[in-house]
Amino acid sequence: MTPPASRPRGRGADSARPLPLRALLRRRGFRGLASGRALTYLGNAMAPVVLAFAVLDLGGSAVDVGLVVGARSVSNVVLLLFGGLLADRLPRALVLQGAALAAALVQSGVGLALLSGRASMGVLLVLSVVQGAVAAVSVPASAALIPLTVTADELRPANALSRMGVNTGMIAGASLGGLLAAVAGPGWGMVLGGVAFAGASLAYRLAGRGLASVRKRAGAVAEPARPWRELREGWREFVVRPWVWVVVLQFFVVNAVAAGGIQVLGPTVADATFGRTAWGFVLATQMAGALAGGVLVARSRARHALRLGVAVVALDALPLIALAQSADVAVLVVAMFVNGVAIEQFGVAWDLSLQENVPREKLARVYSYDALGSTLALPVGEMAAGPFAERFGARPTLLCGVALVALATAGALCSRQVRGLTTGEPHPAAGSPVVETRT
């Protein structure tokens, strides 16, 4: 596969030549980062599936599932800004390594508790809180590290390749989570997730070694830490670009709807109808669609990638419609696959837009505000889905979510900056070569 690199204006003919994705894997830093992200997302994809079924096995209801899943989002939201600040002050590979190791220990411990019959709702709540805290640290660091491992005109294929690895991990995690919950019990899913996080920690260590020589040649010197000033600087970088906060507002709504509909109501509907194994297969199909979407976007040269990505977010409504109409598994699989392709078009466009337009030394902090705004409503969506479904029924609740996704997407497309932003052009925030200057 030889997808083309993005073609900035003012470059020579060489920039138009296709860049083989396998060439990126020869870079030790990028290879370690991509492997670590894939394993991290394998564990993260498995966790909510087995957590939901563990709650149901303990006699919990949809409300209890929402409470446990929502606890993760609450801790994630509370600590996201700190996570971005930490990622900008410390070597990001080290931050990722520590976060993955913590997740491995906690998830494995809870898995053993489930297998021994000593787990309780309280234990599952603690696991959710710790997982949210770990993700708050690792998400800004992993997203901001990609531009430090490749050159500026390799960003598009690098993002696509990294996300293809992420989606492969999510396919395996979602399918294994559903399969293990049905065949062997949720405890084994937790243990296997812990093993994946341990492997991610090792991969991030290798990524850090790949970047260490670069930092040494750059003669990086740590600056005095000024947390509040740095948070204000990150906020200024966030609000000065209307296209950033408009899209974040869109996902404030979309992510909350998807979390309530897919993470909370999905397992409940599956347990009552077509079963856990089929639900794991449905989730894996969504990730397979994202993998296929990654292949497409890696070969893309679209200059208005953000406009396209924001528009196809409307397809997030398809799985909700299928669940609301009590569609059979085949229809739900098709809806999830198409949704997965759409997710990837937006994901790469968003990462590329931020990485090309935000100064790299402030990128993790902007990612933190992005993640904070996008996930702030997650606890509301997760904790409200169960009570709304019990009060009004699952179908009206899901169809209300469909309407909210459509309105949020239409509102984002009303922004002239969202429609007009281009990618693949030189920008002061994107230089070549790239060097991490924090120690």
Side-chain angles (χ1 to χ4, degrees):
M1 245 180 342
T2 56
S6 56
R7 183 171 17 171
R9 291 180 181 176
R11 302 285 181 109
D14 288 345
S15 64
R17 291 187 302 190
L19 175 71
L21 293 185
R22 62 179 177 273
L24 291 171
L25 294 176
R26 298 191 186 106
R27 300 177 181 270
R28 186 168 63 172
F30 177 79
R31 185 172 65 248
L33 175 62
S35 300
R37 295 190 83 197
L39 289 169
T40 296
Y41 276 84
L42 187 151
N44 282 333
M46 191 178 297
V49 178
V50 295
L51 262 179
F53 289 125
V55 171
L56 295 172
D57 283 349
L58 292 175
S61 64
V63 175
D64 297 317
V65 173
L67 180 63
V68 170
V69 175
R72 181 187 188 280
S73 298
V74 170
S75 65
N76 185 261
V77 166
V78 170
L79 295 175
L80 267 173
L81 293 182
F82 171 77
L85 183 63
L86 186 66
D88 275 340
R89 296 305 310 175
L90 297 175
R92 291 163 184 166
L94 181 62
V95 171
L96 292 169
Q97 182 183 343
L101 184 59
L105 294 174
V106 173
Q107 192 149 319
S108 298
V110 175
L112 293 175
L114 284 169
L115 291 174
S116 64
R118 297 179 180 178
S120 64
M121 285 288 294
V123 171
L124 298 182
L125 278 170
V126 170
L127 170 64
S128 291
V129 170
V130 173
Q131 283 186 326
V134 168
V137 175
S138 63
V139 167
S142 64
L145 192 58
I146 292 177
L148 305 177
T149 62
V150 298
T151 58
D153 54 357
E154 294 171 343
L155 269 178
R156 189 189 299 265
N159 275 297
L161 183 58
S162 175
R163 291 180 62 89
M164 286 165 65
V166 163
N167 289 320
T168 300
M170 293 179 73
I171 291 170
S175 57
L176 284 174
L179 180 62
L180 288 174
V183 176
W188 286 109
M190 289 290 183
V191 171
L192 185 57
V195 173
F197 281 119
S201 181
L202 177 61
Y204 290 139
R205 180 175 177 82
L206 297 176
R209 289 178 177 176
L211 290 172
S213 60
V214 177
R215 290 198 301 269
K216 183 176 181 180
R217 289 195 302 269
V221 179
E223 299 174 5
R226 299 181 176 88
W228 295 114
R229 191 188 76 176
E230 293 179 3
L231 285 175
R232 288 195 301 271
E233 290 175 353
W235 175 252
R236 285 196 295 270
E237 294 292 335
F238 178 80
V239 299
V240 78
R241 298 172 174 84
W243 60 270
V244 175
W245 54 260
V246 165
V247 174
V248 170
L249 283 176
Q250 176 193 16
F251 273 81
F252 179 87
V253 176
V254 171
N255 284 345
V257 170
I262 303 300
Q263 298 295 337
V264 176
L265 297 183
T268 306
V269 171
D271 225 29
T273 54
F274 47 79
R276 300 180 179 188
T277 303
W279 181 243
F281 179 70
V282 165
L283 294 177
T285 303
Q286 183 188 45
M287 295 306 105
L291 184 61
V295 174
L296 292 175
V297 76
R299 307 182 72 88
S300 171
R301 295 184 183 181
R303 293 182 63 248
H304 293 92
L306 186 63
R307 178 203 301 170
L308 174 63
V310 166
V312 298
V313 168
L315 296 177
D316 268 32
L318 291 181
L320 303 177
I321 294 172
L323 282 172
Q325 300 301 324
S326 299
D328 59 28
V329 174
V331 175
L332 187 56
V333 161
V334 172
M336 292 290 262
F337 183 86
V338 173
N339 176 227
V341 174
I343 286 172
E344 199 62 12
Q345 306 311 301
F346 171 79
V348 172
W350 181 242
D351 286 341
L352 188 65
S353 298
L354 287 177
Q355 291 164 7
E356 288 188 350
N357 290 278
V358 176
R360 289 201 175 115
E361 69 276 8
K362 300 174 183 177
L363 185 56
R365 276 165 280 175
V366 173
Y367 266 120
S368 291
Y369 283 109
D370 159 35
L372 177 64
S374 299
T375 60
L376 194 59
L378 282 181
V380 177
E382 291 161 343
M383 295 179 181
F388 269 88
E390 290 188 354
R391 175 68 177 83
F392 302 105
R395 184 174 184 272
T397 301
L398 290 165
L399 290 178
C400 180
V402 170
L404 289 173
V405 168
L407 288 173
T409 302
L413 289 173
C414 288
S415 168
R416 183 175 299 177
Q417 283 203 7
V418 170
R419 298 195 309 270
L421 187 78
T422 59
T423 55
E425 298 181 1
H427 190 276
S432 174
V434 286
V435 176
E436 182 172 17
T437 57
R438 301 289 184 185
T439 61

